């Protein structure tokens, strides 16, 4: 379409169309990946930032153990492990929601709950009993929402990608 619009002033007769190729040469592999990433940068950056929050907890476990879990490193690491255990169940739950009410609604619900649980985890009160329960509950919601968001964004990206670059979408799952 754009080729015809750009070339329209230079075309003098219908005979000129016989020399025009029916399709444009395909872009290179990496240029396709770059344009796909640019087009879906909000989803990609959302997953990168969520992954940063997901794994930054492990970096501060000793501080969290001192502040919230009364110095118990074991409980702090349990707080890190809980979302990893809950994530597959969250992916199944949000997948069911996506099937019944649409992927966009389920994705928005998952992203909103993930942001809310992250903020609430940051506002965990430093009270002997309430603090650990609050933190573990927030980490459970974070894990469920992260599993749902990751799976829905993966499905969306796979459905919107061209067949030439589908293999690169499997790469983050190997990391």
């Amino acid at each position: 379409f754009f080729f015809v619009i750009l070339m329209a002033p230079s075309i003098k007769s219908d005979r000129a169309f016989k020399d025009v190729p029916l399709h444009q040469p395909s872009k290179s592999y990496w240029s396709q990946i770059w344009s796909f990433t640019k087009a879906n940068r909000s989803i990609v950056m959302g997953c990168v930032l969520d992954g940063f929050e997901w794994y930054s907890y492990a970096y501060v476990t000793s501080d969290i153990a001192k502040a919230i879990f009364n110095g118990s490193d074991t409980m702090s690491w349990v707080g890190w492990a809980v979302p990893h255990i809950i994530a597959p169940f969250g992916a199944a739950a949000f997948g069911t929601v996506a099937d019944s009410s649409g992927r966009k609604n389920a994705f928005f619900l998952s992203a909103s709950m993930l942001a809310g649980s992250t903020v609430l985890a940051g506002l965990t009160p430093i009270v002997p009993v309430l603090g650990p329960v609050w933190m573990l509950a927030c980490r459970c919601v974070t894990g469920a929402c992260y599993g749902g968001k990751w799976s829905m964004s993966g499905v969306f990206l796979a459905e919107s990608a061209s067949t030439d670059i589908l293999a690169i979408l499997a790469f983050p799952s190997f990391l």
Side-chain angles (χ1 to χ4, degrees), residues 133-157:
V133 172
W134 181 298
M135 178 60 89
L136 290 176
C138 287
R139 294 293 290 173
C140 284
V141 173
T142 299
C145 294
Y146 188 75
K149 186 178 176 189
W150 183 261
S151 62
M152 282 184 285
S153 62
V155 168
F156 174 78
L157 291 174

Side-chain angles (χ1 to χ4, degrees), residues 99-114:
D99 289 342
S100 63
S101 67
R103 189 179 315 112
K104 182 179 179 181
N105 294 334
F107 189 79
F108 181 74
L109 177 67
S110 174
S112 300
M113 287 179 63
L114 182 62

Side-chain angles (χ1 to χ4, degrees), residues 60-84:
V60 294
T61 52
S62 61
D63 298 325
I64 291 173
K66 291 174 192 169
I68 297 168
F69 293 110
N70 296 328
S72 174
D73 284 332
T74 304
M75 281 304 296
S76 183
W77 282 106
V78 166
W80 183 77
V82 163
H84 292 32

Side-chain angles (χ1 to χ4, degrees), residues 13-174:
S13 68
D14 292 336
R15 182 139 176 95
F17 278 112
K18 292 183 180 178
D19 298 330
V20 176
L22 294 176
H23 61 82
Q24 296 293 329
S26 63
K27 297 191 292 186
S28 72
Y29 182 73
W30 291 107
S31 65
Q32 286 182 13
I33 290 172
W34 177 250
S35 63
F36 179 74
T37 304
K38 279 179 31 180
N40 296 299
R41 66 181 164 260
S42 61
I43 294 173
V44 171
M45 286 307 298
C47 289
V48 166
L49 291 174
D50 291 339
F52 174 76
E53 185 276 329
W54 179 269
Y55 291 109
S56 64
Y57 182 94
Y59 182 73
V60 294
T61 52
S62 61
D63 298 325
I64 291 173
K66 291 174 192 169
I68 297 168
F69 293 110
N70 296 328
S72 174
D73 284 332
T74 304
M75 281 304 296
S76 183
W77 282 106
V78 166
W80 183 77
V82 163
H84 292 32
I85 296 167
I86 299 292
F89 300 109
F94 280 106
T96 304
V97 171
D99 289 342
S100 63
S101 67
R103 189 179 315 112
K104 182 179 179 181
N105 294 334
F107 189 79
F108 181 74
L109 177 67
S110 174
S112 300
M113 287 179 63
L114 182 62
S117 66
T118 300
V119 169
L120 287 175
L123 298 173
T124 301
I126 304 174
V127 180
V129 175
L130 181 61
V133 172
W134 181 298
M135 178 60 89
L136 290 176
C138 287
R139 294 293 290 173
C140 284
V141 173
T142 299
C145 294
Y146 188 75
K149 186 178 176 189
W150 183 261
S151 62
M152 282 184 285
S153 62
V155 168
F156 174 78
L157 291 174
E159 287 178 349
S160 64
S162 68
T163 55
D164 296 337
I165 61 170
L166 279 176
I168 198 71
L169 293 175
F171 181 71
S173 65
F174 295 118

